[in-house]
Amino acid sequence: PAIPRPCTFPMKLWLLVNSPYVHSVRWDPRGEGLFIDQGLFEQELLGVGPVAAGEEELFKTKNFGSIVRQLNLYGFHKLTVSPASSAAGSRPTSATPGGDTSYPDGPLHHFWNPHFRYDRPDLLVKIKRLTKANKEKLDAGLEVTSRLPDDLQH
């Protein structure tokens, strides 16, 4: 299927998690959720610390909390990371003091959305930002393919 231009946040995320050059975001072992290594993500994609030239403009923020807020607005749910699940999908990392490679740079976050799948870029169009207008539609009982914010408070 044709992949839309990377203008939406979910599309950017999908391209990042599938990029061989991005190491801070990766699929979980089932390809149905994503792991984000916060410390590495801040360095690699938000321009906190040393960064590759030209990468700073991918997201218009340097605050990881803003990225989490975007994930929530697009209906992503934060899951609890167990050390076993993070190790199963972990990438090889350079040796770090302490030798623990499952958390190379910082906290590891696990997010899930029913329309965010490894082999289904066509589902990305179903991920809608939870705007005021969308909330009004939901309140009126109309179809919007996002979740209500209450669902995010688990």
Side-chain angles (χ1 to χ4, degrees):
I3 298 174
R5 288 183 299 117
C7 51
T8 67
F9 179 80
M11 189 66 228
K12 280 184 192 174
L13 207 55
W14 197 87
L15 290 171
L16 286 175
V17 75
N18 286 300
S19 167
Y21 306 107
V22 174
H23 302 292
S24 57
V25 185
R26 64 182 182 269
W27 290 106
D28 64 15
R30 294 173 60 194
E32 295 181 354
L34 67 157
F35 287 124
I36 301 176
D37 179 325
Q38 182 176 337
L40 191 57
F41 188 94
E42 288 172 343
Q43 288 174 23
E44 197 174 43
L45 300 169
L46 300 182
V48 178
V51 69
E55 292 294 321
E56 308 87 63
E57 279 305 300
L58 190 61
F59 297 108
K60 293 180 177 68
T61 182
K62 292 193 183 305
N63 182 344
F64 186 77
S66 298
I67 299 298
V68 172
R69 185 170 174 271
Q70 286 293 312
L71 285 161
N72 290 336
L73 279 171
Y74 280 98
F76 283 80
H77 298 262
K78 188 165 189 194
L79 305 175
T80 307
V81 175
S82 71
S85 67
S86 63
S90 69
R91 59 183 172 80
T93 55
S94 54
T96 52
D100 180 11
T101 55
S102 59
Y103 298 91
D105 290 292
L108 195 65
H109 303 280
H110 190 188
F111 287 95
W112 176 85
N113 181 301
H115 302 300
F116 199 82
R117 293 282 180 273
Y118 172 72
D119 54 353
R120 295 292 305 277
D122 55 301
L123 292 178
L124 291 170
V125 296
K126 295 177 183 274
I127 303 175
K128 301 277 189 251
R129 193 164 191 269
L130 196 57
T131 60
K132 186 171 182 283
N134 285 350
K135 285 177 189 166
E136 287 166 2
K137 285 181 192 170
L138 287 167
D139 291 342
L142 298 171
E143 176 70 21
V144 174
T145 51
S146 294
R147 298 291 178 98
L148 287 166
D150 295 354
D151 290 348
L152 303 173
Q153 307 302 320
H154 290 305

